[in-house]
Amino acid sequence: MKQVLILGAGKSSSDLIAYLLDYAKNKSVKLIIADADLAVAQRHVGIHPMAEARRLDAGDDSARKALIQEVDIVISMLPAFMHITVAKDCLALRKHLLTASYISEEMRALDPPVKAADLLFLNECGLDPGLDHMSAMRVIKAYQDKGFETVSFKSYCGGLLAPSAERDNPWQYKFTWNPRNVVLAGQGVSKYLEEGDFKYIPYHQLFSRVDKLSVGGVEYDGYANRDSLSYREVYGLKKLRTILRGTLRRVGFCQAWDVFVQLGMTDDTYSLAWTGDLTKRKFLNAFLPFDPNDSVESKLSRLIPQSQDAAIFQKLAWLGLFDHEVITPSKKTPAAILQHILEEKWKLNAADQDMTVMQHLFEFENKQSTIKVSSSMVCIGENAQHTAMSKTVGLPLAIACKLLLENRLSLRGVQLPIYEEVYDPILDELETLGINFKEVEF
Amino acid sequence: MKQVLILGAGKSSSDLIAYLLDYAKNKSVKLIIADADLAVAQRHVGIHPMAEARRLDAGDDSARKALIQEVDIVISMLPAFMHITVAKDCLALRKHLLTASYISEEMRALDPPVKAADLLFLNECGLDPGLDHMSAMRVIKAYQDKGFETVSFKSYCGGLLAPSAERDNPWQYKFTWNPRNVVLAGQGVSKYLEEGDFKYIPYHQLFSRVDKLSVGGVEYDGYANRDSLSYREVYGLKKLRTILRGTLRRVGFCQAWDVFVQLGMTDDTYSLAWTGDLTKRKFLNAFLPFDPNDSVESKLSRLIPQSQDAAIFQKLAWLGLFDHEVITPSKKTPAAILQHILEEKWKLNAADQDMTVMQHLFEFENKQSTIKVSSSMVCIGENAQHTAMSKTVGLPLAIACKLLLENRLSLRGVQLPIYEEVYDPILDELETLGINFKEVEF
């Protein structure tokens, strides 16, 4: 009987686990669900006959190895920095590995021994990265087969709120994935290629240089992700004149977020000092010039003129940034304090539905003509447990696991889901689960 | 006969070496001047009876140690990262050490063994840091002796051009010290204290948040240096409500430099890619949005509205940034390419006079009253060899060396020039050399 180990049973594992529990019921497959908090793992397992919950401190080398030794396939939902440790165990113990995280240089370096051991370490098999690779490659392949070259590829993705959950919140945004990553998103320089020109956007310009997009009748702003250039090679697209990967936000979000960036509130490299209790207003004032005759509100307006815009000012005020409310963040970097303030206000309620949105924009060329194609996906979550984020991250992984269990994947080595053998059955099954891409030539 | 070793005979060592050559003639002291380029060292030494030029690759451990072994005092004008290596040699071989560079944590850690060995490692004994410490401490001490507490201390310094050399250049600026440090200046966050409030300025705001100053009838803008807060402890000023250290530039410089910062042109963390030859215009365009119907000039105006200001636009145009001129920088980071462009245009001509400017602004309080005091220094260079920078960096070091040679310094350990015993004789002699501070109560 084959066994699967899921490392990490947090919120984003919900639909991955649900799918595999359901699958295990009908097949002779055993699931082990391990988490640092046994109760969290147990809540998923319940009285399931083929599943078992285990407590695991992932940093405990011998406990982790012993657990991995028991199974055939490991799915790591641990924090990304842990994947390489798990990967080395999997290689030593001859187990397949699946993750939804970006492939690291260290992970990539394992390719030859992983291939030699006849194993598959499939990475970037979640939402973004993952579903973006699969859905883009399917469209690209279809047009390649018709004799077209891909000359332009822009791809945007966002973890957002369903319209029903946006109403009580002027930001139209709540945290549906790692809050720290949301606060730090975009730091460094963003690199892309447009009509043959290499373009570079520094972080402090990123949120004011957005593209306008429309997906399913809703308007979005898209800002460029860190390094789009490397995807020319990943997708094997050498003739590209344009490549850009970006993040989607509801219109107005980026302009308001830019106030935090302009002020320096997302810096995670140093700790703030203050005297007495820290209030939200004092936090804001630390980034404003001293002026004995002027209020925080008016100093902000002078320093960051865009903050005078009523829609932006309202967003800041709704977070309480002008209030004398005392806060007690556990860390003292500007980014950690901002995250502390946001987490209280941007928490999903139990009934809140989230939404993941993806849009690819292609231009294909042959000798005669140019075709523009868009491919768009909108997935709406059920509630704060079974989120769209959990579905779109977890289901591709779950299906990849099923394919491996059923010996339907011949691919070996350290890989991404950019091969038909992987993405075709995953995308086909995702459609039956309500995750589908609408393709339009225009 | 006592011997002194000067490591590094580059431009900023000119006046240090000239002073000590002059001193050595009349006393029984021998000077060894070592440089990676023997000819550079020889040009200083000429036919001087008491001095010797040597070739030294400072990275060659045994050669460096052998040279240090020969002398009693080492003055390191090497790049700052080399000081700790030299310091460890000096400790092992029981030699005094003088530098004009910021004390590093590693250097500070040597204090106990340096004291135990009865040695002085005097750091930050140049212009800034150095002359700023000495001149500020003298004023602070004078008011302390009269029963006043220091409650506010702002200190600004700039390496600039004398008015005579400013005329051919709309920036009114040329490189008078390490160009790379000028390009990277201010990166990270600037921290200061104003009227009891801790304040933080992110790099991308630094050059638009300047203070207005007037020194000797000339107007300047001052921007905050990285970490002003640590100087409360250095100067032993615990009651300070305000402390700010800043850099001076001629009015208009910061606003124009801010265009580079806003564009991301001072980033030294990644390399640019381009196709074909690199031109200045292509370099600028890499930081501007793509628009097939718009010129570089007009895209810049839209992205950075301040660049439409005629005085700013003229500065950019004077550098040739809008030209199709091919450039061949040796490194490809944005900062290195910008430096390459600036070095051609901001090079001192042989007859150019530079200028160093310093201004301290104090507020002293006793139970009855508050006194405001300014203390200002302006030093004008002779030409591109004997610059004000070389004088104000090198002469304090040279005088400190003389004091050591004459057994007039009892201070031992890893130190800064913040003690009367050090700063009094140095400041007194600097006055006779034309470097003096004008103090005004206002």
Side-chain angles (χ1 to χ4, degrees), chain A residues 189 191-192 194-200 202 204-205 209 261-264 267 270-275 285-290 299 303-304, chain B residues 189 191-192 194-200 202 204-205 209 261-264 267 270-275 285-290 299 303-304:
Chain A
V189 68
K191 311 172 183 183
Y192 64 100
E194 188 147 11
E195 290 301 323
D197 287 346
F198 291 92
K199 294 291 185 186
Y200 303 89
H204 56 267
Q205 294 260 337
R209 282 177 64 175
V261 174
Q262 293 311 314
L263 289 173
D267 195 324
Y270 71 94
S271 289
L272 291 188
W274 57 82
T275 49
N285 193 36
F287 302 98
L288 301 175
F290 176 78
K299 289 190 294 185
L303 187 68
I304 317 282
Chain B
V189 69
K191 311 173 184 182
Y192 64 99
E194 189 148 11
E195 290 302 322
D197 286 347
F198 291 92
K199 294 292 184 185
Y200 303 88
H204 57 267
Q205 294 260 337
R209 282 177 64 175
V261 174
Q262 292 310 315
L263 289 172
D267 194 324
Y270 71 95
S271 289
L272 292 187
W274 58 82
T275 49
N285 193 36
F287 303 98
L288 300 175
F290 176 78
K299 288 190 295 185
L303 187 69
I304 317 282

Side-chain angles (χ1 to χ4, degrees), chain B residues 61-356:
Chain B
D61 288 346
S62 61
R64 191 186 61 244
K65 284 176 187 168
L67 202 49
I68 291 173
Q69 177 61 68
E70 290 184 43
V71 303
D72 302 282
I73 300 173
V74 176
I75 303 177
S76 176
M77 300 295 282
L78 296 173
F81 76 92
M82 281 298 299
H83 292 332
I84 185 66
T85 307
V86 173
K88 285 173 181 169
D89 295 342
C90 286
L91 178 59
L93 301 168
R94 299 283 188 263
K95 313 296 180 185
H96 298 293
L97 173 64
L98 304 172
T99 87
S101 298
Y102 282 102
I103 209 166
S104 64
E105 278 309 310
E106 254 187 304
M107 181 74 84
R108 197 187 307 277
L110 296 180
D111 183 54
V114 168
K115 272 204 183 94
D118 196 34
L119 293 172
L120 173 61
F121 285 12
L122 185 62
N123 300 274
E124 306 192 17
C125 195
L127 168 64
D128 171 5
L131 206 42
D132 51 343
H133 300 328
M134 296 188 257
S135 52
M137 285 307 289
R138 176 178 262 188
V139 178
I140 289 166
K141 177 73 168 47
Y143 282 86
Q144 266 173 356
D145 289 351
K146 290 189 255 178
F148 285 88
E149 290 267 15
T150 312
V151 293
S152 175
F153 175 42
K154 295 186 178 187
S155 176
Y156 298 88
C157 181
L160 302 157
L161 292 182
S164 64
E166 284 180 338
R167 282 174 218 137
D168 59 350
N169 173 337
W171 289 83
Q172 300 177 282
Y173 187 83
K174 294 182 181 179
F175 287 124
T176 62
W177 65 297
N178 188 324
R180 179 176 156 82
N181 290 358
V182 173
V183 173
L184 302 183
Q187 296 196 1
V189 69
S190 291
K191 311 173 184 182
Y192 64 99
L193 187 67
E194 189 148 11
E195 290 302 322
D197 286 347
F198 291 92
K199 294 292 184 185
Y200 303 88
I201 308 182
Y203 177 58
H204 57 267
Q205 294 260 337
L206 191 60
F207 295 95
S208 59
R209 282 177 64 175
V210 297
D211 297 324
K212 296 286 172 197
L213 288 102
S214 171
V215 187
V218 181
E219 304 302 309
Y220 297 94
D221 285 341
Y223 66 83
N225 289 351
R226 290 286 309 266
D227 184 7
S228 295
L229 301 177
S230 61
Y231 287 85
R232 287 176 298 173
E233 234 171 282
V234 172
Y235 292 176
L237 301 172
K238 285 166 195 170
K239 296 260 169 106
L240 276 179
R241 292 192 301 257
T242 295
I243 184 159
L244 173 71
R245 288 166 53 93
T247 296
L248 293 174
R249 290 287 177 261
R250 286 301 302 274
V251 173
F253 178 97
C254 292
Q255 273 189 301
W257 185 264
D258 191 42
V259 175
F260 299 149
V261 174
Q262 292 310 315
L263 289 172
M265 278 185 175
T266 60
D267 194 324
D268 200 40
T269 64
Y270 71 95
S271 289
L272 292 187
W274 58 82
T275 49
D277 284 337
L278 181 64
T279 64
K280 290 182 176 178
R281 190 178 180 88
K282 225 186 243 184
F283 175 57
L284 175 54
N285 193 36
F287 303 98
L288 300 175
F290 176 78
D291 187 328
N293 305 312
D294 215 347
S295 69
V296 163
E297 288 81 353
S298 127
K299 288 190 295 185
L300 176 65
S301 296
R302 274 191 290 124
L303 187 69
I304 317 282
Q306 77 209 60
S307 68
Q308 293 173 60
D309 179 289
I312 296 178
F313 191 86
Q314 186 208 356
K315 288 186 180 70
L316 304 176
W318 181 83
L319 289 172
L321 284 170
F322 302 106
D323 301 346
H324 293 278
E325 182 190 341
V326 173
I327 49 174
T328 53
S330 56
K331 290 182 183 170
K332 293 185 171 184
T333 68
I337 298 170
L338 179 60
Q339 181 184 332
H340 177 88
I341 292 169
L342 295 172
E343 277 185 309
E344 181 209 330
K345 306 291 282 188
W346 284 359
K347 192 177 150 51
L348 280 186
N349 297 323
D352 276 345
Q353 293 178 299
D354 74 327
M355 179 168 78
T356 55

Side-chain angles (χ1 to χ4, degrees), chain A residues 306-337:
Chain A
Q306 77 208 58
S307 69
Q308 293 175 58
D309 179 289
I312 296 178
F313 190 87
Q314 187 207 357
K315 287 185 180 71
L316 304 176
W318 181 83
L319 289 172
L321 283 171
F322 302 106
D323 300 347
H324 293 278
E325 182 190 341
V326 173
I327 49 174
T328 53
S330 56
K331 290 181 183 170
K332 293 185 170 182
T333 68
I337 298 170

Side-chain angles (χ1 to χ4, degrees), chain A residues 44-58:
Chain A
H44 287 286
V45 169
I47 53 162
H48 193 288
M50 302 298 287
E52 203 181 308
R54 299 278 186 89
R55 207 201 77 79
L56 176 73
D57 167 8

